[in-house]
Amino acid sequence: MRIAHIKSNNDYFWLCIPLRDKIRFESKLLSMEIEFHFDESYSMPENDIRYFFREEDSGRVEDAYRSCRIRVVSADKELVSVSEPILLTRFYIKVSIIVVVVFIIVSLLLMLFTG
């Protein structure tokens, strides 16, 4: 469900989400029956989309973006949820450690057998 018109800023709040998460986020909002409006004319440098919600839906909207693990920027330009980038960073760190350990083991084996 989409909000037809935005009357005043006191009754609404906005969040920005990355363009890549648009379909997943909107599907979650629709399944939870949360009314929203996205600003088609607004574009952030990071290709984020600005969504407007009713103030009374703030708790439900928070549940929606947290369950989808979406990075969200709030009205005061601060990151609200960063679970996905943290998970990616942890993954890269683990892979890097594994590569280094395998390299060390292979180097030690080569030194043992060659000389």
Side-chain angles (χ1 to χ4, degrees), residues 1-2 11 13-14 24-25 39-40 44-45 47 51 56 61 69-70 74 78 86-87 93:
M1 288 180 263
R2 297 182 67 177
D11 298 333
F13 70 98
W14 63 267
R24 188 167 41 127
F25 185 59
D39 190 356
E40 296 171 358
M44 290 182 69
N47 291 326
Y51 285 87
E56 66 250 15
V61 171
R69 294 184 175 173
I70 294 175
S74 67
E78 121 182 0
I86 289 174
L87 291 175
I93 290 172

Side-chain angles (χ1 to χ4, degrees), residues 26-83:
E26 286 186 12
S27 296
K28 187 69 170 179
L29 293 174
L30 291 172
S31 71
M32 294 177 72
E33 297 181 359
I34 298 174
E35 292 184 359
F36 65 91
H37 171 77
F38 67 92
D39 190 356
E40 296 171 358
S41 62
Y42 181 78
S43 176
M44 290 182 69
E46 299 88 18
N47 291 326
D48 288 352
I49 300 170
R50 182 167 58 176
Y51 285 87
F52 290 91
F53 304 96
R54 291 197 166 115
E55 193 64 46
E56 66 250 15
D57 291 333
S58 62
R60 294 173 53 209
V61 171
E62 183 178 345
D63 292 341
Y65 70 74
R66 287 188 189 268
S67 69
C68 292
R69 294 184 175 173
I70 294 175
R71 177 190 61 86
V72 176
V73 178
S74 67
D76 55 359
K77 304 284 189 219
E78 121 182 0
L79 282 175
V80 177
S81 175
V82 291
S83 58

Side-chain angles (χ1 to χ4, degrees), residues 6-23:
I6 305 295
K7 295 180 224 166
S8 74
N9 288 337
N10 296 336
D11 298 333
Y12 297 91
F13 70 98
W14 63 267
L15 297 172
C16 290
I17 66 155
L19 180 61
R20 70 175 183 270
D21 296 322
K22 180 182 188 319
I23 294 173

